[in-house]
Amino acid sequence: MQTNKPLAVALTALTLMAAGCGPIEPEPWTDDQNTFGPLQVGEELVYYDEVRDELVMVEPTRDALWGELKVERMETMRQVSVIEALGDDESIYVLGGGATPELRLHNIVEGGTRTIALNSPYDRADIDPHGEFMVLRHSGSQNTDEARNLNEVAVIDLREGADESAEVLTLFSRARDVVFAPPFELDGQEYRLALGLATSEITLMDLDAERPADKLRAIPLTVSQADTPRTPVQVEVVVEEDPQAPGTVSIFVLTDVGSDITQIVLQPAARAESNRRLDIAINQLYAGARPVSFEVMDLEEVGRRIFAIDGAQPRFTMVDVLSGESDTYALPLGRAATELVRFEAPTEDGQGTEARLMAYSANDTLVAMIRPELITLSSETPTVGKSVEAIRLQSAPRRVWVDETEDLQRVLVAHNSGFSLINLNTSRASYIAGAGVISGVVLHDGEAFGVYENAAGVARLEIESGRTSSARLDLAARSVALIASQDLLVIDHGGAGGTLTLIPTNDLQTARARSFFEVTRQNVLSR
C-alpha cells in the first residue's frame, strides 16, 4: 500500500459523518489534542484546527490515489463550542465566540462566511431539513456562573436576503428538541413551522408570522398540571392533503406515557375577525396499550391510518384517523417490537409498488413484514392475502437499510457481526458472516461497503447477489464515508492530525488503497 507521511504533529480526530444512508456511528471520542473532525460536507471532509482557529478542508479525489491530497484552510472564530454540517452539502455552522457569542456559516464549496451576532452563548442547534431556518437553544449544561433562560431560543433565517440577526423568542416551556414541519400551503398562504417539544407541552413557532399572536402557540399534551407528565418521543408532521379532511395539516405526537397518539389539526382561521391565521384542534387516538413507534400511511380507498407497535407485547394497532376506530393484531415475534421501518416493495403482479412495514426488536431474531393494505378493521370486510409474515434471521438486527431500486428489492440488515439480506419477493433471509462488530456502512450503486471496529479492512457486499469481497488495510478502520461522484471510499482511522485511506469502490484491492497521515498539517509550513 502506498503512503504519504507529512511532518508529525500531536493532533487527533473525532467521528466521520458519512453520506447516503449513513454509517453506524461509533461513540465520539477525543483526546487532549488540537484538532477534531472530520465532518463530511458534500464531497469534502472538514476538520477544525483550534490552534490556528481554522477549518481544514480535505477534498478526496481519484487523483489523490497517485498524487497529493487537496487541502485548503479557512479562518473561523476563537473559542468554538459547536461545529457541524448544515445539511446543504455546502456549508457548516460554528457556534462560539466566548464573551462575544456568534454564529458563523461557512460555505465550504463557494467560499464566504456569514456572521450573526448572538445575545447569548447557545450550545445547541436544530437545523431545518429544507435549509431555510436554524433554531439555537441552551442545553443547560454550560459550566458558567452566568444566568441562562432555558426557555429562550434564537431563530436564524437562512434564506437569501434575510436579516443578519437572530430573532429571540421565549417559549412557554423549555424545548428539549425542535422539529421542523415541511413547507406547506393552506388557503393560499405559505407556512413554515417549528415545534418546540417540552414535557407535557408543545410550542408551535410560526416562523413567517408577522402578528405576535401567531408567533408562539402553546399546545398542551395533558389536561391538567396534576396529570402525569408526558414527554414527546415521536412527532410526525403530515402536510399532504387528507382526502377525508381537505384544507388541513396534521401533527401526530406520541409521548412516553399512556396509550394515545395526539393529533393536532391545523387549518386556516374560520372567523375573519380572528387575530390568528391558524385554528388548532386536538384529537386523542387510541393506539394500543403501550405504543412506542408509529407510521402514518394514506391507503388507497380506505384513507389515512396509523400503525403503532406495542412496547409491552408483540402486537400492533391500526387506527383509522377520521373515525378514531382501532383494532390490535398479533405480531409473529418472540419479543415486543422496538423499531418500525417503512418502505416500498413490488406488487405481486410486478406492475407497481406497495407500502410495507417491517417491525423488529434488537433482542429478537424474528422480524415481521406487514402489508398495510391487507389489514382491516373489525367493521370492514377482510382482504384476502397474507397480511403479516415472520422471517427468521441468524441473529438480532442492529440496523436496517432498504434498497428500493427497480431491480434490487432487498432489505439489508446489519448485525453485531455480519449481515442478512432479506429477499422481498421470497420473504427469505440469507446470512453473510462478518469479521467483527460493524462500525460503519455506506451504500453505493447496489453495493454496501462496511468497516469493523478494530479491524484493518473494508468489505464489499453486492446486495442483489450476496457476493462479497474485501481489501485489507494497514490500519484499523473507525468509520467510512462515500465520495459518490469519484467512486471513492474514505476510511477514517482517527489518530494524531487525522489519518485517512482512499480506495476506489470499483477496484477494491489493497494495492489500490492509499493512506494519508496528519492531513491537517498539509500546507501549514508553506503559509
Side-chain angles (χ1 to χ4, degrees), residues 247-461:
T248 66
V249 165
S250 287
I251 302 167
F252 297 92
V253 182
L254 174 65
T255 66
D256 61 344
V257 174
S259 56
D260 291 343
I261 290 175
T262 300
Q263 180 192 17
I264 303 166
V265 182
L266 308 178
Q267 59 185 347
R271 295 181 295 111
E273 66 274 15
S274 173
N275 67 339
R276 290 175 171 169
R277 62 177 188 159
L278 286 174
D279 285 341
I280 298 176
I282 298 176
N283 301 318
Q284 298 296 334
L285 303 170
Y286 176 78
R290 188 186 162 195
V292 294
S293 183
F294 70 93
E295 285 286 342
V296 182
M297 308 183 76
D298 289 325
L299 302 180
E300 189 174 354
E301 298 183 1
V302 297
R304 182 163 290 173
R305 294 193 165 173
I306 295 173
F307 292 79
I309 54 174
D310 194 299
Q313 299 289 333
R315 59 194 178 190
F316 72 97
T317 297
M318 183 177 73
V319 187
D320 182 78
V321 173
L322 181 64
S323 67
E325 183 181 359
S326 65
D327 276 329
T328 298
Y329 312 83
L331 283 172
L333 302 177
R335 294 175 179 267
T338 57
E339 305 293 337
L340 194 61
V341 178
R342 176 179 179 172
F343 57 92
E344 294 290 321
T347 56
E348 291 183 351
D349 60 12
Q351 299 303 307
T353 62
E354 62 185 18
R356 290 196 194 179
L357 297 170
M358 175 176 163
Y360 68 94
S361 165
N363 298 305
D364 191 3
T365 59
L366 287 170
V367 300
M369 294 293 183
I370 304 170
R371 296 180 64 180
E373 78 284 354
L374 299 183
I375 308 295
T376 54
L377 297 168
S378 56
S379 60
E380 298 173 337
T381 303
T383 304
V384 177
K386 199 163 188 178
S387 57
V388 183
E389 188 172 12
I391 298 175
R392 186 174 296 278
L393 305 179
Q394 181 83 8
S395 60
R398 182 180 176 191
R399 183 154 178 195
V400 171
W401 298 266
V402 180
D403 191 326
E404 297 179 350
T405 58
E406 183 177 356
D407 298 323
L408 300 175
Q409 297 294 341
R410 302 289 188 271
V411 175
L412 175 63
V413 179
H415 308 290
N416 275 341
S417 178
F419 301 89
S420 286
L421 276 175
I422 300 175
N423 187 317
L424 298 179
N425 296 314
T426 64
S427 295
R428 298 183 66 87
S430 55
Y431 178 69
I432 295 96
V437 178
I438 298 163
S439 64
V441 171
V442 293
L443 271 61
H444 180 55
D445 287 347
E447 297 179 319
F449 298 87
V451 295
Y452 301 89
E453 291 181 10
N454 303 316
V458 56
R460 173 173 58 199
L461 168 64

Side-chain angles (χ1 to χ4, degrees), residues 56-107:
V56 183
M57 286 83 71
V58 179
E59 184 179 353
T61 65
R62 301 280 290 214
D63 292 342
L65 295 171
W66 301 278
E68 294 298 318
L69 190 63
K70 184 178 179 181
V71 177
E72 295 183 355
R73 307 178 77 90
M74 177 185 293
E75 182 181 354
T76 190
M77 70 176 74
R78 294 177 179 272
Q79 294 181 268
V80 169
S81 58
V82 180
I83 178 172
E84 186 57 87
L86 195 57
D88 60 358
D89 288 338
E90 292 188 357
S91 308
I92 66 167
Y93 72 85
V94 181
L95 275 173
T100 56
E102 61 184 29
L103 168 72
R104 291 194 185 182
L105 305 169
H106 297 283
N107 191 304

